[in-house]
């Protein structure tokens, strides 16, 4: 708005409401923080109406605006660059005030309107092991929840596990055949997985088994106690297994699986029929959606319910009972069509929480092996998630050991404190896990990516490892400063810009809020990753430009270090990195 004032001061005849200033951040210029293409637009829109006097091009108009002497607290300087673009330099005093506020009050997000948001993520299927696709959903989902919560939104973290459906017929059938005493002699998950494979094999080859399994499905849906019991046991075993992953990854999520909606499925179908949108198609009940070839199928030929039915029920529950303003679904892009149908179906039913509920599919690409092919172990089996985490940790340990060696040879920075074996272990666990998470989050989520430990753990790349080392360094500078009570120190001193690079870094910190806003608007967590990485690169540049300790400007530079530390720590939390403090 300070910029708009300038434009209007230069050209008072422009209609006030005819334009907004569109700002783009520039992060690779030491002097200017923003640029705007708006002048070009205004010029083309109004040149015919002779509003610009004898100025003959967008460039001249931009120059005139840049030359306006204008006092305000936000903008220091405006310059016309080529083609009519304007670049904007923030006011030093403005930057200083913002940093001082940050130091005193911590990071705050100015939320305009609080929303209730469902994040439907992770959602593995019972009796099949979680695979890398679920890992991706889990990592993206947890981070998204943290960001929304930081913004002040009310978030419901939902695990829509596949705990209902026809696969249970054969599982129960097989369980009762092979483990009749399962109540006292519980099979372990390894066996449960085998159970799935074995059951599937029988199901496909043995007609009698198949028929009996289908009967078990009907019995289960009729809540037959023996079936329910077996079903519960199977679910519990799977649950134990994926809870281990959640713990390792520090993920919080609440289970509202497919079975949760079981009691209302028949009502939902009736409701859809009453609305007049259901068609009969060879015995199945379907809902046709404009522009889509495949319809929603809410009742199968055999009268059973399916994935579409539960998702319709889940949508209604979330929108009307839970009163949610936004529903976000995280699965691979392969389910894009399924969700499009569900969203359209909900719209046809008129379900919304006033004024509107936004339903969005946050689809993502595949996780491939390091060679770009399907992700498999050497022996060709699917990869176990726990083993992935273990290997990352092991490699992180080597990485840290190497770092310690290099620092002893004076090649790399270190805090010079020897780590105890426990500290080593903890650091490796944190770094291994962070490396996996961050590598996933930094991708453009639509793309497939290769799961490559070497790239993930590269201390010089855009990786969690690089970021964590940057953090160690900042913390160590603060520690070395010898200031005892930093809280007191920072409330009682004023940050004042004393160097061009300092100004530049400080200005970058102020972008934090805008970055988070675009992350949740566009569901692009990779922008937050790029932002954090950019800050760390700039810190490294700044270290080469000025001294922090033992300098006449030490005090203000320490304050900036602390502000950077605060932004990094908060950002780390949002992308699931637990920092280490020494090495
Ligand atoms: N269980 C599903 C799968 O593994 C994902 C469920 C996603 N959420 C939903 N509401 N459909 O593919």
């Amino acid at each position: 708005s300070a910029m708009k004032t300038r434009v209007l001061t230069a050209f008072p005849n422009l209609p006030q409401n005819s334009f907004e200033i569109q700002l783009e951040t520039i992060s690779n210029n030491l002097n200017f923080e923003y640029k705007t293409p708006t002048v070009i637009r205004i010029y083309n829109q109004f040149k015919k109406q002779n509003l610009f006097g004898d100025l003959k091009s967008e460039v001249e108009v931009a120059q005139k605006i840049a030359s306006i002497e204008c006092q305000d607290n936000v903008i220091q300087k405006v310059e016309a660059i080529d083609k009519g673009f304007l670049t904007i330099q923030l006011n030093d005093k403005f930057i200083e005030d913002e940093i001082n506020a940050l130091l005193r009050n911590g990071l705050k997000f100015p939320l305009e309107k609080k929303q209730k948001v469902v994040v439907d993520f992770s959602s593995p299927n019972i009796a099949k092991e979680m695979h890398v696709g679920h890992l991706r959903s889990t990592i993206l989902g947890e981070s998204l929840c943290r960001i929304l919560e930081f913004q002040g939104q009310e978030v419901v973290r939902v695990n829509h596990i596949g705990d209902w459906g026809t696969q249970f017929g054969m599982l129960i059938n097989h369980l009762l055949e092979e483990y009749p005493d399962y109540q006292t002699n519980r099979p372990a998950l390894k066996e449960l997985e085998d159970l799935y494979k074995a059951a599937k094999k029988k199901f496909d080859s043995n007609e009698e088994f198949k028929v009996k399994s289908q009967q078990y499905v009907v019995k289960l849906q009729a809540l037959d106690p023996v079936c329910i019991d077996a079903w519960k046991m199977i679910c519990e075993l799977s649950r134990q297994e994926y809870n281990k992953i959640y713990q390792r990854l520090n993920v919080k999520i609440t289970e509202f699986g497919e079975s949760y909606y079981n009691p209302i499925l028949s009502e939902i179908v009736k409701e859809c029929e009453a609305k007049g949108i259901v068609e009969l198609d060879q015995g199945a009940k379907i809902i046709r959606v404009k522009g889509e070839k495949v319809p929603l199928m809410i009742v199968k030929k055999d009268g059973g319910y399916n994935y579409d039915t539960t998702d319709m029920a889940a949508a209604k529950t979330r929108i009307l009972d839970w009163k949610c303003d936004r529903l976000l679904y995280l699965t691979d892009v392969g389910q894009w069509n399924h969700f499009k149908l569900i969203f359209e179906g909900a719209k046809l039913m008129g379900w919304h929480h006033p004024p509107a509920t936004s339903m969005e599919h946050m689809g993502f690409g595949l996780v491939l092996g390091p060679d770009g092919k399907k992700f498999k172990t050497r022996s060709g089996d699917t990869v176990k998630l726990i083993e992935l985490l273990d290997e990352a940790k092991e490699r992180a340990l080597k990485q840290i050991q190497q770092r310690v060696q290099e620092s002893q040879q004076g090649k790399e920075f270190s805090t010079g404190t020897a780590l105890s074996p426990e500290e080593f272990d903890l650091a490796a666990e944190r770094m291994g896990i962070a490396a996996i998470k961050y590598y996933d989050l930094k991708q453009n989520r639509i793309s497939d990516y290769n799961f490559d430990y070497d790239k993930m753990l590269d201390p010089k790349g855009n990786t969690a490892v690089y970021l964590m080392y940057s953090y160690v360094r900042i913390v160590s500078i603060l520690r070395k400063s010898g200031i005892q009570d930093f809280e007191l120190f920072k409330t009682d001193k004023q940050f004042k810009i004393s160097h061009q690079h300092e100004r530049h870094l400080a200005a970058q910190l102020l972008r934090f809020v805008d970055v988070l806003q675009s992350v949740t608007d566009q569901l692009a967590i990779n922008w937050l990753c790029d932002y954090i990485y950019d800050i760390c690169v700039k810190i490294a540049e700044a270290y080469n430009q000025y001294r922090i300790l033992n300098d006449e400007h030490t005090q203000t530079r320490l304050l900036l270090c602390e502000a950077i530390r605060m932004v990094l720590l908060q950002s780390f939390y949002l992308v699931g990195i637990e920092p280490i403090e020494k090495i």
Side-chain angles (χ1 to χ4, degrees), residues 120 122-125 131 134 160-162 258 307 311 314 318 329-332 335 338-339:
D120 176 321
S122 191
S123 307
N125 299 318
H131 57 70
H134 295 123
H160 190 86
I161 59 169
E258 293 181 19
Y307 194 49
D311 257 328
R318 293 165 188 182
Y329 295 83
L330 284 82
T331 74
D332 62 74
Q335 295 196 36
H338 166 73
F339 286 109

Side-chain angles (χ1 to χ4, degrees), residues 474-490:
I474 284 263
V475 171
S476 129
I477 291 171
L478 290 166
R479 212 183 271 134
K480 274 198 203 130
S481 74
I483 291 160
Q484 295 301 324
D485 190 343
F486 221 92
E487 286 303 313
L488 202 68
F489 177 78
K490 71 181 183 190

